[in-house]
Amino acid sequence: MKAALKALQAYNVKGVISGIAPFGLGHINDSYLVETVDQKLLLQKLNRSVFKSPEKIESNLQALLQAASALFTKHYKTAEGLYHTEADGSFWRLMDFIEDSYAPETANGLIEVEKVAEGFGRFTAFSNTLRPENFKEAIPQFHSLSWRLEQLGEAIEKDIAGRLESCQDLVKKANSFRWIDAKMDDLISKGLPLRVCHNDTKLNNCLLSQSDHSFRYIIDLDTLGPGYLLYDFGDLMRTTLSPTEENEHDENLIEIRKDYLDVLLIGFSKESGSVLTDIEIQSLTFGGLYMTYIMAIRFLADFLNGDTYYKTSFEEENFIRARNQLRLLELMNEL
Ligand code: GN1
Ligand code: MG
């Protein structure tokens, strides 16, 4: 906590700090709830092995938040006018903690789907006013499926953790969906436009009001930058259509709730519709296949690499995550 306290000093927080406690469930960064007598704040420590160039995130936040949208929670600046500060070799940032709100892990009811879809739809309408060339890719090639498939290939070849034998079926299944990569290339060659995307629109990156589920804020802006709209709509499909969490043990519980997809499309289009191009509208649901596939590949590669990227809470977790994404992908492909 010493480093956290040191980081907090850079933001000139008013009042005595009465508590700092770990908070939240993200797979990558560490978050802390900071309490003073009169306010609650969220302090985050950036995962440096994932985000190797924090200055890119800083630059994206500067470009984004100067456009001052009510879609995002307040981010505090240091005396130097920066959102990040370095303390004990780590990069930190400080935001308002939003009370009476929650970040859903799975969608429990159409009202949640509607509000999250509207929230990300509003984000899309807003981000249409931003120019992709003013934003940087925080992680180069983050959503390039070709690159992710290459990484999986390397992981298979090295089999560094000696796990290949145990996941041959998943590797085979994953290989049967390689056509998704070719289809994406085809869409790009047909003029799919690049825009500023959130690039991590999983359900729990949207804060809803605890009282009436209304949309509050879009959070987790680490990967915000150039991208294709189908990434954002696709990650919403990936994380809302099944009632299961990413690490669900029982594969048979994975299902596609068709009515959830209908509400997702209606809510998202209602808020973003006027800024979407025809090719984007036509490729929205392909995004579900693309994002589910890319996550399957990433989880499988991390399992083969011995769990070096995602936080895990049990040994088989990345195997189970990959298996579940592939099951979800099969079901989506049957739609
Ligand atoms: C990571 O940080 P978090 O949990 O929102 C990952 C996303 C994945 C997601 C899968 C920088 O997001 O790309 O979709 O896990 N973020 C990064 O749950 O790799
Ligand atoms: Mg994140």
Side-chain angles (χ1 to χ4, degrees):
M1 293 300 164
K2 250 193 191 160
L5 277 171
K6 201 165 155 194
L8 281 168
Q9 279 169 11
Y11 296 95
N12 196 14
V13 175
K14 291 185 189 69
V16 180
I17 291 161
S18 53
I20 303 182
F23 183 88
L25 294 165
H27 289 341
I28 310 285
N29 296 325
D30 294 325
S31 302
Y32 302 89
L33 170 60
V34 177
E35 295 194 58
T36 72
V37 189
D38 43 25
Q39 60 180 338
K40 287 188 180 175
L41 300 158
L42 190 74
L43 179 71
Q44 277 191 319
K45 182 168 92 171
L46 216 59
N47 180 330
R48 279 306 298 282
S49 51
V50 168
F51 296 109
K52 298 195 166 64
S53 315
E55 73 284 356
K56 290 185 183 168
I57 302 180
E58 175 69 38
S59 153
N60 287 342
L61 283 183
Q62 294 284 350
L64 179 80
L65 299 175
Q66 72 170 5
S69 170
L71 290 167
F72 315 112
T73 58
K74 178 175 175 182
H75 286 58
Y76 288 83
K77 279 186 176 174
T78 65
E80 294 80 38
L82 299 174
Y83 291 111
H84 292 87
T85 188
E86 207 175 340
D88 287 357
S90 295
F91 279 79
W92 303 75
R93 64 182 162 226
L94 187 67
M95 289 151 281
D96 267 345
F97 177 86
I98 310 300
E99 297 227 63
D100 307 318
S101 68
Y102 71 105
E105 283 302 314
T106 56
N108 297 304
L110 291 173
I111 182 82
E112 283 187 342
V113 184
E114 183 189 337
K115 297 305 170 194
V116 169
E118 285 176 7
F120 279 111
R122 251 186 255 174
F123 167 83
T124 301
F126 160 74
S127 73
N128 194 52
T129 63
L130 308 170
R131 293 156 64 102
E133 56 274 24
N134 293 338
F135 291 81
K136 304 177 189 337
E137 263 198 309
I139 300 173
Q141 305 203 72
F142 189 56
H143 279 154
S144 159
L145 189 47
S146 316
W147 182 59
R148 297 296 183 182
L149 285 165
E150 256 173 55
Q151 289 186 315
L152 176 63
E154 269 172 41
I156 290 171
E157 205 167 292
K158 291 192 184 132
D159 190 17
I160 209 157
R163 289 171 162 180
L164 180 58
E165 204 44 49
S166 67
C167 60
Q168 289 288 14
D169 288 352
L170 295 191
V171 171
K172 210 169 141 202
K173 213 190 241 191
N175 279 330
S176 73
F177 283 99
R178 280 179 178 260
W179 57 268
I180 291 177
D181 190 25
K183 175 150 180 186
M184 184 67 188
D185 287 346
D186 186 48
L187 283 168
I188 294 172
S189 74
K190 286 187 172 133
L192 194 66
L194 201 64
R195 51 167 74 241
V196 176
C197 290
H198 181 279
N199 289 317
D200 189 9
T201 56
K202 55 185 202 186
L203 180 69
N204 68 3
N205 279 331
C206 187
L207 285 186
L208 301 181
S209 155
Q210 252 163 20
S211 56
D212 60 1
H213 308 293
S214 59
F215 167 72
R216 301 290 300 278
Y217 294 104
I218 300 293
I219 57 170
D220 193 353
L221 306 173
D222 290 330
T223 51
L224 184 139
Y228 296 103
L229 187 69
L230 64 84
Y231 297 161
D232 281 0
F233 190 78
D235 220 27
L236 276 174
M237 284 176 64
R238 182 181 78 79
T239 54
T240 53
L241 299 190
S242 178
T244 48
E245 295 202 18
E246 275 174 352
N247 62 1
E248 170 60 55
H249 281 276
D250 186 353
E251 199 183 356
N252 296 318
L253 296 179
I254 299 172
E255 59 163 311
I256 301 275
R257 295 172 291 185
K258 185 71 180 45
D259 49 341
Y260 278 44
L261 177 57
D262 295 340
V263 170
L264 206 54
L265 279 164
I266 293 167
F268 188 79
S269 311
K270 185 176 123 201
E271 296 294 335
S272 68
S274 63
V275 308
L276 308 188
T277 62
D278 285 348
I279 190 166
E280 285 179 312
I281 294 168
Q282 285 151 19
S283 60
L284 276 183
T285 57
F286 170 68
L289 297 177
Y290 190 88
M291 292 306 294
T292 306
Y293 188 37
I294 208 167
M295 284 315 305
I297 299 299
R298 292 176 62 192
F299 285 142
L300 188 53
D302 199 33
F303 177 69
L304 285 163
N305 290 335
D307 311 322
T308 57
Y309 188 93
Y310 294 105
K311 289 180 188 169
T312 51
S313 52
F314 57 94
E315 199 180 318
E316 307 282 286
E317 191 162 8
N318 275 319
F319 175 92
I320 284 178
R321 287 168 172 156
R323 180 203 69 184
N324 290 351
Q325 295 295 308
L326 286 168
R327 178 68 191 137
L328 189 62
L329 179 57
E330 277 179 334
L331 293 172
M332 266 186 207
N333 196 34
E334 286 163 11
L335 276 179

